[in-house]
Amino acid sequence: MAMKDPSQTRVVIGMSGGVDSSVAALLLKQQGYEVIGIFMKNWDDTDESGVCTATEDYEDVIKVCNQIGIPYYAVNFEKQYWDKVFTYFLEEYKAGRTPNPDVMCNKEIKFKAFLAHAKSLGADYVATGHYARVRHDETGSTMLRGVDNNKDQTYFLNQLSQAQLEHVLFPIGEMEKKEVRKIAEAAGLATAKKKDSTGICFIGERNFKEFLSNYLPAQPGNMETMEGEIKGQHDGLMYYTLGQRHGLGIGGDGEPWFVLGKDLERNVLLVGQGFHHDAVYSTSLIATQMNFTTPKQIPQQFACTAKFRYRQEDSPVTVKLLENNRAEITFEAPVRAITPGQAVVLYDGEVCLGGGTIDEVFKNGEKLTYVG
Amino acid sequence: MTIYLDYAATSPMHPEVIAQMVEAMTIYGNPSSVHQIGRQARKAVDEARVSIAKSIGAKDTEIIFTSGGTEADNTAIFGVAYAQQHKGKHIITTQIEHHAVLHACEKLEKEGFDITYLPVDSTGRVCVTDVQKALREDTILVTIMLANNEVGTIQPIAEIGQLLATHSAIFHTDAVQAYGVLPIDVEALGVDYLSVSAHKIGGPKGIGFLYQRSKAPFKPLLHGGQQERMRRASTENVPAIIAFATAVTVKKTVQYETFKKRMEEIWQNNGIMYRVNGVQTLPQIFNVSFVGTDVEAMLVNLDMAGICVSSGSACTAGAIDPSHVLVAMYGEGAPELRNAIRFSFGFATTIEEIEQTATTVAQIVSRLVNL
């Protein structure tokens, strides 16, 4: 797709009140685009004095937009977020899996509801402060990893379709995080020194266990070894994820203990000693909701690399497409802690091809029923 | 070009008011001082007080200058509640009051007062018999706005005043939106307290007044000096008070009546689906729902087209909260909560601006509903 002259191009940028989207907005403005800053309010969290937790972030959006000289607005997606992201999040935990709300938020909110809102404002593009790159040319729109390997966020963007991607700009994808900070500081942006947000957006800095227990009943149960030896009590299976070490509280001699899996029927958390415990390794998986971001035709079977978690090193894999948007993904070497509910994201060099949701995990062709 | 149709939020200052205020800034004395410079300021404030009192048929001693409408509302509500709590703790208000009233009442509720929040009908009007039914022996205050700030519906204040003539409850009305548009006479309305703000009528921000009927029960909010006959401590905002009086007396000739009609004509000619919220409304407030649109997209599109209007109130994180007024009129979940726009007019509004706004609205609505 040929791009219009920036001065004729209206870009709506999603601003979170953080340094990344602040700098993204600044860069767009410097490139000559007509830029509109919009703050998304996705979660209703009002304290007793009637102040919502999003207030400070919005205040920062106001300051930064005024510094850059662009108009700013807010939009409320609480209902969409609740229906599409939070409901999914709870359902997955109920099913004993480890959901990835950021992937869902990008798919359903930032690049669907927000994109639709931007189009209703006559926008040619939406932009965000993600560390990813998108290349628009005659063949279509291609997503590439962010230049900052440590910050690359394509993992969370794997569910974007070509139709969504063609309306997307990622202004800071060509930069390292420290450059972004430097630009923010040089421009004196109000968010230049602001701490990066951590954790899931709607939980924020709060205690995850406590938050989840407000929505899902926790059922404590036994922690057992694969051989059935009881090692202690867990607080509720949903609080644990595969490969996790912390929070088990199992003492004694030898190597540290890790989560190997969950037996949902018996409400048992399976644990074992040693980071490299054999039970936590697998050799293939079945993914659902496979989506390809690229404009290119995807062959039925191909080799590429994959990430199974955010910030993980790539692993070489072979992908075989199945019906109903499923795929069988076989690893060249066994991989540790493949977790149902998380995303599997495929790469061809710098290009992020797309991805899916890890649904089933296998070891040498045998399904591992205990992972979750 | 910018078209400003958000006078209910705030009005630009009238040019004559600006000129008067700039001049008044040279009157620097403290009205409480016992020297000629002080007396000069005192004289100017007194003259302003007289002309402002006259505008509502009150005596000058019955006017308390405040920092604005919110302080006037708070002063009346807390002042009466604390002065009368030995007689009872029941207060009657409505669900559609400005937050300056609602949140003051909620605060009192936390302190142990008993508040009745009366409903309104789908036109935004409170029913006099509902007030009558809610009245109790221990009712110490009834506070109901003269006209609503979001949809403009005029409330039956004089009837309620009549009803309360035989009851010991004190009657307060928030007249912030109605003042300067509707003729107001405190005797005819039968109110004991009435709140007004200057910046809705072409005056400066940061100044308002509270009418207090002589000897109506009262406890001040602010303590300190003896200003405002010991009812509101703080050195008078002399230039703002003088400018306020000018805003009250300056001649404004706006053909409000023609505005709404003309907008509706244009929308009808363009086949726009709309619905007016509120019946028997203030002539300068026009709250309209555009079927099939979303308020957030509408407001931004209008702003980008240079047209400044509003809708309900934004939360502290900028998102548009469903209006409590429309919720009271239509119930939770009604489509009007997501598609209502408030146009409000003032002294500088022209018919050309009205026509251009209506035409632009028609274009935006057509585009949004066909998206």
Side-chain angles (χ1 to χ4, degrees):
Chain A
M1 186 172 55
M3 293 187 68
K4 289 190 284 181
D5 185 73
S7 66
Q8 304 296 311
T9 307
R10 181 176 286 175
V11 182
V12 165
I13 176 159
M15 298 192 70
S16 65
V19 68
D20 297 333
S21 53
S22 301
V23 170
L26 175 68
L27 295 174
L28 289 171
K29 174 78 175 175
Q30 287 172 344
Q31 287 157 20
Y33 290 102
E34 184 197 348
V35 189
I36 298 165
I38 296 196
F39 178 78
M40 278 173 258
K41 185 166 182 274
N42 298 336
W43 190 253
D44 179 18
D45 203 350
T46 307
D47 70 16
E48 280 174 7
S49 53
V51 178
C52 42
T53 48
T55 304
E56 268 183 53
D57 290 329
Y58 183 60
E59 298 269 327
D60 285 333
V61 170
I62 295 175
K63 284 182 206 157
V64 168
C65 287
N66 281 333
Q67 287 179 304
I68 300 174
I70 60 172
Y72 57 84
Y73 307 95
V75 63
N76 191 328
F77 291 133
E78 284 165 18
K79 188 180 179 323
Q80 292 93 324
Y81 194 89
W82 183 277
D83 292 348
K84 301 285 187 182
V85 182
F86 194 61
T87 306
Y88 143 84
F89 173 82
L90 292 183
E91 290 299 324
E92 286 285 275
Y93 270 116
K94 263 192 237 169
R97 293 152 59 109
T98 305
N100 198 316
D102 295 326
V103 172
M104 199 54 101
C105 180
N106 284 328
K107 179 185 180 180
E108 296 289 346
I109 306 298
K110 290 183 186 155
F111 298 96
K112 191 183 264 177
F114 184 64
L115 180 60
H117 184 61
K119 284 181 181 170
S120 80
L121 309 182
D124 299 289
Y125 293 95
V126 292
T128 62
H130 280 109
Y131 286 89
R133 289 173 291 162
V134 58
R135 197 174 56 208
H136 301 290
D137 58 29
E138 338 40 79
T139 63
S141 301
T142 306
M143 183 158 62
L144 300 107
R145 301 179 205 252
V147 163
D148 188 333
N149 195 39
N150 189 41
K151 279 281 170 187
D152 169 44
Q153 289 174 310
T154 50
Y155 182 81
F156 300 115
L157 298 165
N158 76 81
Q159 288 290 313
L160 298 201
S161 68
Q162 183 63 199
Q164 291 169 310
L165 208 53
E166 59 183 42
H167 297 285
V168 171
L169 298 177
F170 295 127
I172 62 164
E174 303 282 350
M175 287 181 190
E176 304 264 339
K177 176 82 185 194
K178 56 177 191 291
E179 287 177 70
V180 170
R181 286 265 178 213
K182 214 180 282 171
I183 291 172
E185 274 167 41
L189 297 184
T191 52
K193 294 200 163 63
K194 191 169 171 179
K195 223 178 96 204
D196 285 348
S197 61
T198 51
I200 301 165
C201 59
F202 50 83
I203 303 177
E205 306 284 312
R206 281 176 301 183
N207 181 305
F208 177 75
K209 267 190 183 181
E210 198 188 303
F211 175 84
L212 207 54
S213 68
N214 289 331
Y215 297 92
L216 294 175
Q219 287 180 302
N222 286 341
M223 290 197 280
E224 293 180 11
T225 63
M226 297 301 279
E227 293 74 34
E229 187 191 342
I230 296 175
K231 298 303 296 182
Q233 290 280 304
H234 68 76
D235 301 334
L237 291 179
M238 62 193 176
Y239 301 136
Y240 305 86
T241 190
L242 205 64
Q244 169 184 340
R245 171 178 171 179
H246 294 285
L248 297 183
I250 308 173
D253 296 336
E255 292 194 70
W257 290 81
F258 290 87
V259 173
L260 301 180
K262 301 172 180 181
D263 183 336
L264 286 180
E265 268 174 37
R266 294 169 52 233
N267 191 32
V268 163
L269 187 71
L270 297 164
V271 295
Q273 261 176 314
F275 182 85
H276 292 295
H277 194 291
D278 187 51
V280 82
Y281 278 85
S282 55
T283 58
S284 70
L285 63 83
I286 297 281
T288 55
Q289 280 129 29
M290 284 303 295
N291 167 71
F292 289 95
T293 62
T294 65
K296 287 200 192 122
Q297 193 68 29
I298 299 291
Q300 275 309 106
Q301 189 162 337
F302 59 96
C304 65
T305 62
K307 277 190 204 298
F308 309 99
R309 271 170 201 243
Y310 177 49
R311 280 188 176 165
Q312 199 176 40
E313 287 285 312
D314 283 36
S315 306
V317 298
T318 306
V319 179
K320 193 174 143 194
L321 299 186
L322 309 173
E323 52 194 15
N324 297 329
N325 291 330
R326 290 159 70 249
E328 182 185 10
I329 298 172
T330 309
F331 325 143
E332 210 172 275
V335 178
R336 182 180 181 273
I338 300 277
T339 307
Q342 289 290 297
V344 50
V345 182
L346 306 176
Y347 296 89
D348 176 11
E350 285 297 290
V351 176
C352 175
L353 299 170
T357 305
I358 300 168
D359 191 48
E360 296 174 78
V361 181
F362 299 84
K363 182 183 278 178
N364 303 323
E366 197 177 320
K367 183 175 170 180
L368 304 183
T369 54
Y370 52 81
V371 297
Chain B
M1 194 186 71
T2 304
I3 297 177
Y4 187 80
L5 295 184
D6 201 12
Y7 280 74
T10 193
S11 162
M13 277 172 74
H14 193 283
E16 283 186 39
V17 175
I18 296 176
Q20 182 67 66
M21 186 153 175
V22 169
E23 204 185 308
M25 284 173 176
T26 60
I27 304 173
Y28 63 89
N30 185 328
S32 304
S33 297
V34 287
H35 46 58
Q36 51 188 312
I37 294 297
R39 284 194 299 276
Q40 181 199 15
R42 173 66 194 241
K43 179 170 181 283
V45 168
D46 279 354
E47 283 168 4
R49 196 186 304 275
V50 167
S51 64
I52 281 172
K54 222 170 96 186
S55 73
I56 56 166
K59 297 195 279 284
D60 60 341
T61 52
E62 295 175 315
I63 301 298
I64 306 168
F65 286 115
T66 67
S67 64
T70 295
E71 191 194 323
D73 284 339
N74 273 251
T75 304
I77 292 166
F78 289 106
V80 172
Y82 294 152
Q84 297 294 84
Q85 53 187 332
H86 62 282
K87 288 190 173 168
K89 288 199 154 189
H90 183 231
I91 294 170
I92 298 171
T93 186
T94 76
Q95 294 169 3
I96 61 157
E97 297 301 307
H98 189 276
H99 285 135
V101 168
L102 281 180
H103 290 169
C105 287
E106 284 161 19
K107 174 73 166 55
L108 285 171
E109 206 168 5
K110 284 193 187 123
E111 293 177 17
F113 286 81
D114 184 6
I115 318 283
T116 300
Y117 300 92
L118 293 177
V120 293
D121 63 19
S122 63
T123 74
R125 200 169 153 96
V126 70
C127 179
V128 181
T129 54
D130 282 349
V131 180
Q132 187 169 16
K133 280 183 216 153
L135 269 177
R136 310 191 314 217
E137 215 166 285
D138 64 338
T139 306
I140 52 168
L141 172 66
V142 177
T143 171
I144 297 177
M145 66 199 336
L146 188 41
N148 181 263
N149 53 310
E150 288 187 29
V151 296
T153 305
I154 300 163
Q155 304 301 327
I157 295 305
E159 286 104 303
I160 298 168
Q162 251 172 4
L163 173 73
L164 293 173
T166 54
H167 192 286
S168 64
I170 301 301
F171 189 21
H172 166 248
T173 191
D174 174 342
V176 167
Q177 293 296 342
Y179 182 79
V181 182
L182 295 184
I184 294 177
D185 182 280
V186 289
E187 294 306 325
L189 292 177
V191 295
D192 303 300
Y193 283 95
L194 181 139
S195 305
V196 169
S197 173
H199 75 101
K200 311 287 189 188
I201 59 160
K205 292 165 184 63
I207 190 76
F209 76 78
L210 177 65
Y211 157 77
Q212 179 207 18
R213 180 176 295 279
S214 296
K215 302 201 179 72
F218 183 79
K219 283 220 190 290
L221 277 189
L222 301 187
H223 302 271
Q226 306 196 344
Q227 294 87 359
E228 301 299 305
R229 298 161 71 92
M230 301 197 58
R231 292 169 300 184
R232 199 249 186 197
S234 180
T235 299
E236 295 84 345
N237 188 349
V238 177
I241 289 171
I242 294 167
F244 189 2
T246 308
V248 169
T249 50
V250 72
K251 278 270 172 292
K252 301 172 199 133
T253 46
V254 201
Q255 302 296 314
Y256 290 125
E257 308 74 39
T258 59
F259 291 170
K260 293 184 185 179
K261 207 193 280 174
R262 187 74 191 107
M263 291 180 99
E264 291 203 52
E265 274 169 17
I266 290 169
W267 293 331
Q268 282 160 14
N269 292 343
N270 284 276
I272 299 299
M273 298 273 283
Y274 70 96
R275 176 177 155 175
V276 176
N277 298 309
V279 174
Q280 286 186 288
T281 54
L282 291 172
Q284 86 278 24
I285 292 183
F286 198 23
N287 192 303
V288 185
S289 282
F290 295 97
V291 180
T293 68
D294 186 82
V295 60
E296 282 166 334
M298 275 293 285
L299 286 179
V300 181
N301 272 299
L302 283 165
D303 186 30
M304 290 190 299
I307 296 169
C308 306
V309 298
S310 71
S311 174
S313 54
C315 84
T316 54
I320 306 293
D321 280 338
S323 147
H324 68 285
V325 177
L326 296 175
V327 168
M329 288 165 62
Y330 301 124
E332 300 274 358
E336 285 82 1
L337 308 186
R338 294 297 315 162
N339 64 15
I341 299 289
R342 179 186 70 186
F343 305 89
S344 52
F345 322 123
F347 69 85
T349 308
T350 64
I351 190 72
E352 290 75 24
E353 289 178 320
I354 291 295
E355 287 173 346
Q356 198 188 322
T357 299
T359 306
T360 307
V361 165
Q363 286 162 356
I364 293 170
V365 171
S366 308
R367 191 167 69 76
L368 289 181
V369 295
N370 292 318
L371 214 64

